[in-house]
Amino acid sequence: VPSGAPRWLQLDLGSSMQLHSVSTRGRDNDAQWVTAYDVKTSLDLSNWADHGSFTGGSSQHYVKTNTLSTCVTNIRYVRMYPTAFSANGLATQFEVYVTINNCA
């Protein structure tokens, strides 16, 4: 990532959803993973809500799932901002768990 460039991963869910969990996993073929990150969501790409900081995995193969403290409704975009990563570098697989009904 060039110096000064934004460092985040953005997902477009395609339509309004409800978010309840997120997970990360490292790079399969190298010892690179995210150890900490922040999550923000938006419906319109202009107004972003912060949903806190989360702990990532402890190895490249470990899947770390975090449940948000409250279900986030009416969102379309999710951003993951890595804040710490393994000594070998930054790489991640990022998943979000959503529903179109109610968060139960």
Side-chain angles (χ1 to χ4, degrees), residues 1 5 11 14 73:
V1 176
L11 302 176
T73 60

Side-chain angles (χ1 to χ4, degrees), residues 41-95:
T41 60
S42 176
L43 182 61
D44 58 9
L45 290 175
S46 295
N47 301 298
W48 291 90
D50 186 356
H51 300 289
S53 298
F54 298 92
T55 302
S58 56
S59 76
Q60 72 199 64
H61 301 294
Y62 180 73
V63 177
K64 172 65 174 170
T65 301
N66 292 291
T67 301
L68 280 66
S69 59
T70 59
C71 184
V72 182
T73 60
N74 201 31
I75 59 121
R76 177 172 171 176
Y77 303 96
V78 181
R79 281 187 183 169
M80 183 262 242
Y81 295 81
T83 57
F85 45 90
S86 63
N88 291 334
L90 171 59
T92 191
Q93 298 174 48
F94 182 62
E95 293 184 358

